[in-house]
């Protein structure tokens, strides 16, 4: 079929969902509504688009602007009364589900030294990426992990978990990432508070890293059959070293530079069933080509500064800023330094896209692979 023939066919198919209202049709629709039914052609263009049409919009959340408001919440509410002292990221296109992008939730949580949030469990999968402070820790099913800046920790769905800051630490802020909107859309959400409010530490501190953290090595006679990673904590130091080694061995991707996915050391797959995570290094002066793919992605700048162009809109970012890329949005990343590398942490719903066979990717073919900037640096 030639392109012209295909276009004519496509228009004819689209015509099936282009029916003008008449008094007779409107009366017919009302009769169908009374029977709790409807005519497909009245919604076909909405529910079966030619390509994804995300309700999410690209957003950049500047940490310098958010930080003072996150810290101010300490004087206004306690962890006991608020449950979790979090300022969540609210995408203008997803406010009805409190999502940062697509079906992903994110927020900035703050805790002061000596504070401990009660232990709880829920159907949503979650991760925490440490932004600043000292003395943060998380306990997951009796495994305690101490946390430093740019570390991230898993709290998989169904696990008992609690967070706190040691009494001799400093105020800590971290980014939360959860699939709450997805779980709620599936009408599968449960939440429970631990009967004792806190759980006992039943293993040596940081035992997950001791057992599972050696790259390429697996402990003998230590079984694991759960659908999430047993490592729980992924440290910044080894991650950055791995990226640097990777950079010495390859040019990397023309779209994403040096991109590495955090993995489950048992299966080699994603860290959790519904949320994946990655860290990428952009060499000095790197200017990535534009591409787009299905799935929703939330980035935090772990190191350096630069900008990203998302559907023709430029977003200038620096360390600790957070931005999102909606599904099927053209995007490209640029390292703004000629001498220092930049690193982007990211979490996404990529595991869901892959498992359901919905992942698709496309390179931008025009202008040598770079988008024209329609909107200058976003405010």
């Amino acid at each position: 079929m030639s392109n012209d023939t295909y276009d004519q066919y496509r228009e004819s198919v689209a015509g099936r969902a282009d029916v003008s209202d008449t008094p007779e049709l409107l009366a017919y629709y009302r009769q169908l509504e009374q029977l709790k039914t409807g005519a497909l052609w009245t919604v076909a263009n909405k529910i079966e688009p030619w390509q994804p049409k995300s309700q999410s919009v690209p957003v950049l959340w500047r940490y310098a602007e958010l930080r003072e408001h996150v810290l101010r919440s300490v004087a206004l509410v306690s962890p006991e009364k608020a449950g979790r002292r979090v300022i969540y990221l609210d995408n203008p296109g997803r406010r009805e589900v409190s999502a940062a992008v697509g079906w992903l939730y994110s927020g900035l949580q703050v805790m002061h030294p000596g504070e401990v949030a009660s232990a709880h469990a829920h159907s949503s999968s979650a991760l925490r990426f440490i932004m600043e402070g000292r003395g943060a820790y998380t306990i997951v099913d009796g495994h305690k992990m101490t946390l430093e800046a740019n570390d991230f920790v898993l709290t998989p769905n169904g696990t008992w978990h609690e967070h706190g800051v040691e009494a001799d630490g400093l105020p800590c802020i971290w980014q939360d990432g959860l699939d709450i909107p997805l779980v709620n859309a599936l009408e599968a959400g449960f939440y429970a508070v631990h009967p004792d409010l806190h759980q006992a530490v039943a293993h040596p501190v940081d035992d997950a890293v001791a057992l599972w953290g050696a790259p390429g090595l697996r402990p003998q006679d230590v079984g694991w059959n759960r659908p999430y990673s047993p490592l729980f904590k992924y440290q910044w130091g080894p991650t950055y070293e791995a990226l640097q080694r990777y950079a010495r061995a390859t040019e990397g991707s023309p779209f994403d530079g040096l991109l590495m996915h955090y993995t489950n050391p048992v299966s080699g797959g994603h860290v959790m069933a519904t949320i994946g995570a990655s860290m990428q290094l952009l060499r000095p002066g790197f200017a990535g080509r534009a591409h787009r793919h299905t799935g929703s992605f939330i980035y935090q700048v772990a190191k350096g500064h630069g900008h990203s162009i998302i559907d023709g809109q430029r977003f200038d970012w620096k360390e600790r800023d957070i931005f999102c890329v909606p599904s099927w949005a053209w995007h490209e990343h640029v390292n703004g330094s000629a001498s220092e590398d930049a690193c982007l942490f990211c979490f996404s719903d990529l595991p869901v896209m892959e498992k359901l066979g919905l992942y698709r990717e496309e390179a931008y073919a025009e202008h040598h692979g770079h988008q024209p900037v329609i909107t200058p640096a976003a405010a």
Side-chain angles (χ1 to χ4, degrees):
M1 183 182 296
S2 68
N3 289 338
D4 290 341
T5 304
Y6 174 75
D7 289 341
Q8 292 172 2
Y9 169 75
R10 176 169 164 162
E11 289 302 320
S12 69
V13 172
R16 293 189 306 171
D18 187 20
V19 180
S20 299
D21 290 337
T22 65
E24 185 179 9
L25 267 176
L26 292 174
Y28 175 60
Y29 297 154
R30 287 193 291 270
Q31 292 171 343
L32 291 177
E33 186 177 355
Q34 291 174 358
L35 297 172
K36 296 181 176 60
T37 61
L40 174 61
W41 60 84
T42 65
V43 298
N45 291 339
K46 179 180 179 181
I47 67 173
E48 290 186 310
W50 294 113
Q51 61 186 24
K53 295 181 179 179
S54 179
Q55 295 177 325
S56 305
V57 298
V59 181
L60 170 71
W61 292 275
R62 291 192 171 91
Y63 188 59
E65 297 173 352
L66 288 177
R67 185 177 183 273
E68 62 177 294
H69 296 289
V70 173
L71 292 173
R72 187 182 172 208
S73 70
V74 174
L76 299 175
V77 295
S78 66
E80 293 78 16
K81 292 185 177 180
R84 285 161 288 181
R85 194 194 286 122
V86 179
I87 305 303
Y88 71 92
L89 308 182
D90 194 18
N91 191 294
R94 302 294 287 151
R95 282 179 174 152
E96 75 282 1
V97 293
S98 302
V101 64
W103 297 103
L104 294 173
Y105 162 95
S106 187
L108 301 186
Q109 184 166 177
V110 59
M111 296 192 76
H112 265 211
E115 290 183 337
V116 182
S118 58
H120 57 278
H122 42 66
S123 303
S124 297
S125 297
L127 59 83
R128 327 284 164 184
F129 188 82
I130 308 304
M131 303 176 77
E132 66 171 88
R134 191 186 70 221
Y137 65 86
T138 288
I139 305 172
V140 182
D141 280 349
H143 299 269
K144 182 175 181 178
M145 276 73 63
T146 58
L147 301 166
E148 299 179 357
N150 287 355
D151 290 350
F152 95 93
V153 63
L154 309 179
T155 53
N157 67 315
T159 60
W160 291 114
H161 57 278
E162 59 190 278
H163 316 290
V165 178
E166 303 289 0
D168 60 352
L170 296 173
C172 292
I173 298 176
W174 57 79
Q175 181 184 8
D176 294 328
L178 298 93
D179 59 1
I180 292 173
L182 173 63
V183 172
N184 288 342
L186 296 173
E187 300 177 348
F190 292 90
Y191 188 100
V193 176
H194 196 283
D196 298 325
L197 297 185
H198 299 288
Q199 57 184 310
V201 177
H203 308 273
V205 175
D206 287 324
D207 73 306
V209 173
L211 287 171
W212 302 101
L217 295 172
R218 178 174 176 174
Q220 183 176 353
D221 299 328
V222 179
W224 189 263
N225 58 5
R226 299 177 188 178
Y228 51 80
S229 171
L231 183 51
F232 292 130
K233 180 175 79 169
Y234 293 78
Q235 297 171 287
W236 165 242
T239 300
Y240 186 52
E241 291 172 6
L243 286 167
Q244 291 176 310
R245 289 194 300 270
Y246 186 34
R248 292 192 292 268
T250 178
E251 287 299 311
S253 163
F255 306 104
D256 290 308
L258 290 309
L259 173 64
M260 302 189 82
H261 294 280
Y262 294 97
T263 61
N264 180 331
V266 177
S267 68
H270 292 289
V271 293
M272 292 184 288
T274 55
I275 300 179
S278 63
M279 185 74 78
Q280 66 193 95
L281 184 150
L282 309 180
R283 290 187 176 93
F286 175 84
R289 292 176 54 197
H291 67 153
R292 62 182 178 182
H293 42 66
T294 50
S296 301
F297 292 72
I298 300 178
Y299 292 85
Q300 184 184 138
V301 184
K303 183 178 184 294
H305 68 277
H307 71 267
S308 296
I309 301 171
I310 308 171
D311 274 348
Q313 188 173 3
R314 174 169 167 159
F315 296 87
D316 289 323
W317 40 256
K318 60 183 179 180
E319 194 168 310
R320 298 295 168 230
D321 288 347
I322 298 168
F323 63 94
C324 69
V325 175
S327 184
W328 209 238
W330 293 113
H331 59 282
E332 55 195 277
H333 307 304
V334 177
N335 182 348
S337 172
S339 58
E340 300 291 333
D341 56 31
C343 291
L344 301 177
F345 170 78
C346 178
F347 71 91
S348 70
D349 57 6
L350 183 58
V352 178
M353 295 293 110
E354 292 178 346
K355 286 186 178 73
L356 297 180
L358 298 175
Y359 184 78
R360 185 179 295 189
E361 186 172 356
E362 180 177 289
Y364 193 82
E366 301 176 14
H367 305 289
H368 304 289
H370 298 287
Q371 307 169 70
V373 178
I374 301 170
T375 307

